[in-house]
Structure formats: structure tokens, C-alpha cells
Amino acid sequence: MTDIALTKKNFTSDQEVKWCPGCGDYSILSTVQSFLPELGVPRENIVFISGIGCSSRFPYYLETFGIHSIHGRAPTLATGLAISRPDLSIFVITGDGDALSIGGNHLIHALRRNVNLKILLFNNRIYGLTKGQYSPTSEQGKITKSTPAGSLDTPFNPISLALGAEASFVARSIDSDRKHLTEILRAASLFNGSALIEIYQNCPIFNDDAYQILKDGETKNSAILQLVQGQPIKSQTHGVIYQEGSMKVVELESVSESELVIHNANNPDPSYAFALSRLSASVLDHVPIGIFRNVSRAEYAGQVNDQIAEAIAEQGPGDLESLLTGGDTWEVK
Amino acid sequence: MTKTVVPLHQVTIRFAGDSGDGMQLTGDRFTMDTASLGNDISTLPNYPAEIRAPQGTLPGVSSFQLHFADHHIQTPGDAPDVLVAMNPAALKANIRDLPRGATIIVDRDEFSPRNLTKVGYESNPLEDGSLDSYKVHAVALTSITVAAVSELNLTRKDAERSKNMFALGLLTWMYHRDTKSTENFLAAKFAKKPDLLAANLIAFKSGWNYGEATEDFAVSYEIAPAKMPPGKYRNMSGNVAISYGLIAASSRSNLKLFLGSYPITPASDILHELSKHKKFGVITFQAEDEIAAVGSALGASYGGALGVTTTSGPGIALKAEMIGLAVMLELPLIIIDVQRGGPSTGLPTKTEQADLLQVMFGRNGESPAAVLAPSTASDCFDIAMEAVRIATTYRVPVFILSDGYIANGSEPWRIPEVADLPDLRVEFAKSQENFLPYERDAKTLARPWAIPGTKGMEHRIGGVEKADKTGAISYDPVNHDLMVRARAAKVAGIEIPDLEVDDPNNDAKVLLLGWGSTFGPISAAVEALRLNGEKIAQAHLRYINPFPKNLGQILSKYDRVIVPEMNLGQLAMLLRSEFLKDITGYNRVRGLPFSTVELIEAAMAVLHD
């Protein structure tokens, strides 16, 4: 615990922030800086590790420990650090290209192991730093510099991918909704294991207004399906029901309130959260926002260190001399 | 019946059979029994990449060669004096290495027409006279073993499986080895399978009795203990020695050992060995791929652990970008490359030294790293500790270039006293005002190792070029030039011992210079050449980056410098470019260590040029 209560200012580094004007990263940074004092963790025990991409500049702007690593590999450094230093609070900052394209392998393995990492995936559905090529979350048919005739790739749904990789804490938020993002960060920080937070983030230069439907007063009330624990899943106009074994978005007027699915992020069956994740795809007319899954299971680094503690408890601490002189030996006089 | 006992100075035995015949185990056991009798030993396991290649075929032959002597020896022996061949494939694959007059022991039962045809024998070599110039013992190994264990009511397959112990028993008799140690070993191995324990013990004893009782074997041999420096010894392979060296370094530095590794032949045994030693606080992490393996090690180093990654050539290629990051972050990192035949998948189970230029230059930008190479299996222990000293003192990535030969081969290792091991303690940066993450130590040029958890030292580092001292992002041209040169100067300035030259009368004109695992065969060749009256100097590089400071001076002293390498001339290329010295290369890439004879011939060609 810290001696004096820290504030947002204490978590703001002296580096000039260099994102494009209007970038969604600014509001995410500001939200994170405001949230960190709440963690109650001394600054020196917090580490932000990023890969490559616009969002990966994030650690430079935080007055904590930080590594701006190489493309896609942040989870690998973070995993090694988390296992050897379970006392630290470690955040991974990544983007849709960094996490889902070049670093896809590391992301899924960090999630399945459940290493104590909070992974913030800034999803702007475009490559920004390399100036506007399509990303693994770009909608099919996307016209970009590298796909003048439209992209052919089926996009990833990051929430579905994370759930398929055995992630136990999976959530989605929006860059401009500071209150919501703060709530999600709070819940993630209470989760002991890998938490994946997909943050819809606007790139004003190469993919402007990709999430406008979730931001405009007129459309957002109908598009955002709030995931609130213990509450029916609905927007102001639509709700989610079970129909023929799967989930469906229907107009609220067409069903009674009692037919709506009551959200339970603690549902041990991952197919529940997976079904929720499939309610939205490239077209964002109905998008669940909030915590999809929050189910506790054994954390990885803790187990690694438990095995070591058990070995020491059973056999006593290692003695170098007995190691070196162990096995079949013989004496030469 | 009284049998003749003949004293010998040295023997080379090769056990060969199907990869499922247990030849590696048989060889290991014979090695242990031999080492404990005080002979000097050197071993060479040689096995196919396939776990179970088709039975009885040439690609499926696995072998284990052991050279033991009553004097100091350097190599596993050029040519076997004795070949134990468990089937026609094993005979065919190995016969060309046998000098005339060598002893061959075969399992006669396996020489069926079908098995002979499978490997292309048109007639039975046991009967057609083609082996007349050898001493052949055709023993009905399988049927005697099966008969001996018949009372145990085992399946035919389980009964036959014990035949390697019959062979071991026979050799144990032939060379007067002690039976106790193998009996104890079997008791421990099959503690939970009493039937198999009984079968193996009976087979082992039957083999011994066969030698003792039958007229086929009239002579047995004795090899007196070798004169070795006094001390406590154990048999040691390179991979285990590296593992122990890392544990020792962790203990002597008070740093937690973290191994991030992805399984790959022939390096996996280091991962296996280190995973056994959790009570030393050793963390082993089997990563999802080679990149994650080195990334996790670097992450652990950042947190103040001793980050290590182990791999072979293909893995180094994958790790290159992360090693570049380690160069930029200026953090300690140990990268162990147990080299194998390349390129690509190459020869996974065979040895080679062709990764030298890859570890020197295989990264983008000016990306210097230290490079060390152990010269013998037991040197792997010292090299591991030395790599840790350099990595933690200078905050640089350090490569260790081992290879398949010394990784799996073994020799007696004089166990050091713990108190004599180097003190490797390091200091992390302490809390301070106005901390400068890239301010260099005046002597070592190392930057501070400021680990998370140190109050007031929050700072950001990364792969983007750093401003001198502050470590902030900098695209300034002058700063980049300065930092590139600073990183190069840091590695160039690593303090290492001078190279020692073995030139007994200081009158040689020719220098035989090697690096890494070729030390054994080169030393054996030099010894033989000198006995023959030749004047030749020998030196061996354990440090390749940086080179020892006196290397240029040494090279200039000799008219001719021969560099034998298991590659097409990689060290030679470095030497020529660094010292403008002409080098005579001797280069073979056959996946096998050099033989002493070929090195003698190569040296003679230069000596009498």
C-alpha cells in the first residue's frame, strides 16, 4: 500500500503524448491514469508492457515501469515477468494487429494458462502505424491501401477467440465511455488470472467513425446491449432471448421482460459467453458491451510457485554441493 | 576352465542396434560401470531423428560408442575395436568404420533371410566369408535370452526385450566390469515391475555367464585405471553440465533461475534436467514457441531473474528479433544454442558448428552479443557460469554455442568445490533521485539494472532507439551513432582471459586453432603429431565475441594457422576479416565429430607443404 494517496497526476509521465488529434487512445489513457490510483498498488509495482502499433506507445505516458517491446510479443515478456515476479501488477497493451495477427499465438496461450495479466486490446479494426492496411478485425470487403478491391479475410471476433482460448475473464468496452471502461478495469483488477478487455477504439485517420453507431445518441441506445450481472440483457429498444437453442436479438416490444436472458458472467459453461459474443459481428447494429465471462480458476504463476514451494517443503531447499556430488561418483587419490 | 586375461591400454566399443533395442541405455550403463573403475572415458551417442524408424532397417540404426583407457583420452575413438551388432542392419551400417582385426559380436538369431534382404545382404555375412578378417562371435543372443527367462512366463516381446542386458552382461564379463552397479540400476528402474526386473537381471547374468562358461570367449581384458588429477569424479554430459552450471550460477549470484524453452533436439535435455530442480527455486517454463521462450526469459531478466533460453539453430533463427530487443534493452540474457546439422531442419540428431555466424550477425541492425563456446562436456559447467558473469556484469545477451556432440557425449568430470566457484553477486540499482536508466558505468559501460518494485525508479524502456542517459525515445542522428557505438564498445570491452597457446618448445611454425567441441579430436591429433616428432602449436577459443585480446598477436607469430571446423569456414572468415591473417581451413560437415586421423593428415599436409 502507498503512504500517500496517489492521483491521476502521479501516474502521468513527463513524455509528450504523440497520438493523432482525436485518437481514441487519448481517452483510454486518461481513463487508465485516473483508474490506477484506485488499484492501491505502489507505482513501482505496476508494469505496462506493449508490443508495436499506435496503442503500444501507451507505456511511455504512464509513470510506472514499462516496456515497449516488439511486434506481437508483449504477452511473452509479461508471462516471464509474471511468473518470476508474482508480486507485480502487470498490464499488457496491444492492438488488433499486434494481438490477433502477428501475436495471435502468444495471446491464446497466455489466456489458456491464465497468467495474472490484464490485457487491454485496443481494437480500431485497422493498421494505423503502418498507415492504413486492413487488420484481422476489419470487416470483409474493406477497401484499404493493401486491398483496393476489398479484403477477402473473414475477420476475427476477439471475444469469441478469447473464449475459445479458455479465457476466464473477457469483457468489451468503448474508448469514449470512461465510466464503463473504469468499471471493467476495476472488475478485471479483482480477477486473479488473464483478463482480456477488448476496447473499441476510434482511429480518426484511417478508419474514422468505425464505431459511430455505438456513440451517436440516436443509434447507441438501440445498438448497445448492456451486460449487467443479474439483469436482463437489453438495449433501450432490443433484448436478447433464447430461441431454438441459441441467442437472438429481438425488439423489446415483441417479447415480455421475463423472456429476456438474465446475464450471468459467472456461468461456468463457456458456451453461454460464446453465444453472447456471436450476437455481433462486423455489422454493429447490436453489440453486447460489458463482462462476457468472469469465472475464477487457478492462476498460472501461483501454481508454478506452489510447485517450487512444495518441492522445498518436501525435500528442503536445494544444496549445491549435494547436487554436484550426487549420482554415481568415484574418488581418484 | 581357466581363461586368459589380457591387459590393454585402451578400447573403443560400439553398441549398435535398432532404435528400439535399448542401445543408448546399454551404452550408458557400460559407461557408468567403466567410469567408476577409474578409466578415462569419452562417449558418442549416435541415433536417428525418428523415434522408432522401421525395425531392422539402416535408417533405424542407433549406436553408442565408448572409448575408455588407462590414460588420459580426448575423443570417443576414431574406430571401434569391438562392434556389438544386434541385427544385420546394425552390422551393415557400422562395418565400414571397423578396422580389420576388430571384434564383432552379433545376434545370430537376427540374421534371418528376411532381415538380410531388408538391408540388401545377398548372402549371410556370417557364412559367406566376408567377415573373415574380423574376430566374429555369432551368439544366439535372442534365443538364449528367451530361454533363460522362460520360467517367468513373459510375452515373447517382453522376453526378447531383455537381450540388450544379455549383451551388456557379456561385455561386462569381457572387460572385467563390476556387476553391482548395473544390478542396482535395474533394481531401481524396475522397482515397480518385478517381472521385468527379474527378466533383465537374468538376461544380464546369463550374458556374463556366457562369457565365463563358453569356449567362444577364451580371452577377457583388463584396463587399469587412468592417472587423473586427484578428486571426486562423476560422469558428465554437456547438457547436464550446462544445467548444473546454471544452477550453480543462480546460487552464486543469488538470482532466481528462469528457463524459457521450447523443446528441440538436441537441447531439450537441458529443459528436462532443470525441471527436476525446483527445490533450488528454478523456474522452467515450456513456452508455446521459440519466440515466447526467449521473450519470457527476457521478461524474467527485466524483473531481476537470471533469464535463460535453450534451443538449437532453427530456434535461434526464430528468436533473433527478441535477442535484438535484449541488445536494445541492455538486460542480461543467456541464449544456449546446442547446434545440430543445418540449414532448416537439417540433421536434428547430428552435430555441426554452423551457427557461429548466425549468432554473431543474424539480427537486424548493429546488434552485438557475446559468444562463448565450451570445448568439452565438462567445460559446459564452467562456460555456463562464465556466461552468467558476462551477462549480469555487462547487461548483454550472451550466446553459448554447444553442439550435439558434447551435449550428449560424456566424460569424467572432476567435481569442483563449491567454495572455489566464482562469486557472481550483482547489485540492482537502488532508489535514487533523478534516475537515468541509460547512464553507463564508466568501466563496464553497463546501464543500471533497475528492477520493478524499486521505489522512485519507474521508467520506460523499449526497442525504439534510446537517448543517451535518459533512455527516452530518440530519433536524433548523432545520438543513434553514439548509442550504436556504445553498445558495440560494451561488448568489445568485456574482460576475458588471454588465449593460452600450447607450444612446448616455442618453436612451432604451424598453429592448430579450434573452437568449441573440436577440442578433443584436435588435442588427440596434436598429441600424436608430437609423438611423431612434429612441431605444432595448439590453441582453443572459448571466447569468440569478443576475441581474446592477444589473439592477433598469436596469429601473427605463426607462419600457418589451421582452423578445423564442422562448417565451411565460419571462424576462419571472422579471423581473416578481423586480423587480415590467412587461414587454412579444414572443414567437414558430416554430422559427426572429427576423427583424430583425419586431423593428423590435415596437419601433416600443412607441416610438410
Side-chain angles (χ1 to χ4, degrees), chain A residues 287-302:
Chain A
V287 180
I289 298 288
I291 300 167
F292 287 71
R293 182 169 171 80
N294 184 359
V295 174
S296 71
R297 67 177 168 106
E299 191 275 331
Y300 188 80

Side-chain angles (χ1 to χ4, degrees), chain B residues 78-281:
Chain B
D78 283 5
D81 304 303
V82 180
L83 172 68
V84 179
M86 301 299 279
N87 61 22
L91 178 67
K92 184 147 195 182
N94 290 288
I95 189 79
R96 65 170 177 196
D97 295 337
L98 252 55
R100 282 166 203 286
T103 298
I104 300 175
I105 300 170
V106 297
D107 181 0
R108 193 173 70 201
D109 296 328
E110 287 288 320
F111 282 66
S112 64
R114 188 167 162 271
N115 286 353
L116 290 168
T117 314
K118 218 190 263 185
V119 293
Y121 273 123
E122 283 169 7
S123 58
N124 188 343
L126 302 181
E127 293 161 2
D128 65 8
S130 61
L131 300 178
D132 280 355
S133 49
Y134 303 94
K135 285 174 244 153
V136 180
H137 300 276
V139 182
L141 254 156
T142 305
S143 42
I144 299 175
T145 304
V146 171
V149 303
S150 62
E151 66 201 40
L152 296 171
N153 291 322
L154 296 170
T155 61
R156 169 95 191 172
K157 201 175 155 201
D158 276 343
E160 283 186 9
R161 272 194 158 167
S162 314
K163 67 184 177 187
N164 63 330
M165 285 302 120
F166 184 96
L168 180 62
L170 178 56
L171 272 288
T172 301
W173 172 84
M174 260 177 89
Y175 292 98
H176 289 246
R177 309 289 98 174
D178 183 25
T179 56
K180 270 282 168 299
S181 138
T182 290
E183 286 162 4
N184 292 344
F185 168 83
L186 290 172
K189 184 175 163 73
F190 294 110
K192 287 179 185 155
K193 294 174 182 164
D195 276 4
L196 294 183
L197 170 60
N200 278 283
L201 283 176
I202 291 170
F204 179 64
K205 201 73 197 157
S206 307
W208 197 93
N209 290 339
Y210 188 88
E212 179 75 4
T214 60
E215 287 177 4
D216 190 7
F217 291 88
V219 183
S220 66
Y221 305 92
E222 248 179 358
I223 292 92
K227 277 207 186 78
M228 303 211 274
K232 199 172 200 180
Y233 284 79
R234 67 189 287 185
N235 188 36
M236 189 50 82
S237 72
N239 275 347
V240 174
I242 280 193
S243 308
Y244 282 16
L246 291 171
I247 294 173
S250 162
S251 161
R252 301 294 286 174
S253 63
N254 277 329
L255 297 174
K256 194 185 285 182
L257 178 58
F258 180 100
L259 172 71
S261 183
Y262 187 76
I264 185 170
T265 303
S268 304
D269 280 340
I270 303 175
L271 168 62
H272 304 160
E273 183 62 37
L274 286 176
S275 347
K276 292 184 206 160
H277 300 288
K278 296 197 192 313
K279 66 176 173 183
F280 285 88

Side-chain angles (χ1 to χ4, degrees), chain A residues 19 25 50-58 68 71 95 98 128-130:
Chain A
W19 287 308
D25 291 354
S50 63
I52 292 291
C54 295
S55 58
S56 287
R57 293 295 176 104
F58 206 88
H68 176 210
H71 209 5
D98 193 60
L129 195 67
T130 51

Side-chain angles (χ1 to χ4, degrees), chain A residues 307 309-319, chain B residues 276-280:
Chain A
Q307 284 191 343
E310 273 167 35
I312 293 171
E314 281 169 17
Q315 308 158 35
D319 174 63
Chain B
K276 292 184 206 160
H277 300 288
K278 296 197 192 313
K279 66 176 173 183
F280 285 88

Side-chain angles (χ1 to χ4, degrees), chain A residues 5 10 19 63 71 88 92 150 170 188 221 241 260 263 279 283 301 318:
Chain A
N10 297 117
W19 287 308
E63 192 56 31
H71 209 5
L88 302 173
V92 169
V170 184
N221 291 339
I241 62 162
L260 296 178
H263 184 49
L279 291 174
V283 183

Side-chain angles (χ1 to χ4, degrees), chain A residues 3 13-15 43-45 47 49 57 59-71 73 76-81 83-86 88 105-106 109-110 112-113 300 304-305 307-308 311-312 315-321 323-333, chain B residues 32 35-36 38 228-235 244 247-248 251 256 258 277-283 285-289 291-292 295-296 298-300 302-303 321-322 325 329 381 412-413 415 418 421 450-455 457-464 472-473 475:
Chain A
D3 310 328
S13 79
D14 61 356
Q15 297 290 301
R43 289 183 301 188
E44 65 271 19
N45 286 352
V47 185
I49 303 181
R57 293 295 176 104
Y60 288 115
Y61 309 133
L62 289 162
E63 192 56 31
T64 63
F65 277 84
I67 306 179
H68 176 210
S69 77
I70 50 176
H71 209 5
R73 317 302 173 199
T76 72
L77 290 139
T79 297
L81 184 61
I83 298 171
S84 56
R85 292 290 306 275
L88 302 173
N105 198 30
H106 310 307
H109 288 276
R112 81 171 163 96
R113 290 189 188 108
Y300 188 80
V304 171
N305 287 286
Q307 284 191 343
I308 289 173
I312 293 171
Q315 308 158 35
D319 174 63
L320 188 56
E321 192 177 336
L323 172 75
L324 301 184
T325 56
D328 288 345
T329 60
W330 68 95
E331 199 81 43
V332 173
K333 305 264 185 218
Chain B
M32 288 314 304
S36 56
M228 303 211 274
K232 199 172 200 180
Y233 284 79
R234 67 189 287 185
N235 188 36
Y244 282 16
I247 294 173
S251 161
K256 194 185 285 182
F258 180 100
H277 300 288
K278 296 197 192 313
K279 66 176 173 183
F280 285 88
V282 176
I283 298 173
F285 173 62
Q286 183 176 316
E288 60 270 23
D289 60 25
I291 302 170
S296 63
L298 184 57
Y302 174 70
E321 190 190 11
M322 189 66 77
L325 179 64
L329 298 186
F381 179 84
W413 176 53
I415 302 166
V418 169
L421 298 176
I451 63 170
T454 319
K455 198 172 170 58
M457 304 285 271
E458 298 82 15
H459 66 284
R460 275 65 55 193
I461 56 178
V464 182
I473 289 180
Y475 299 108

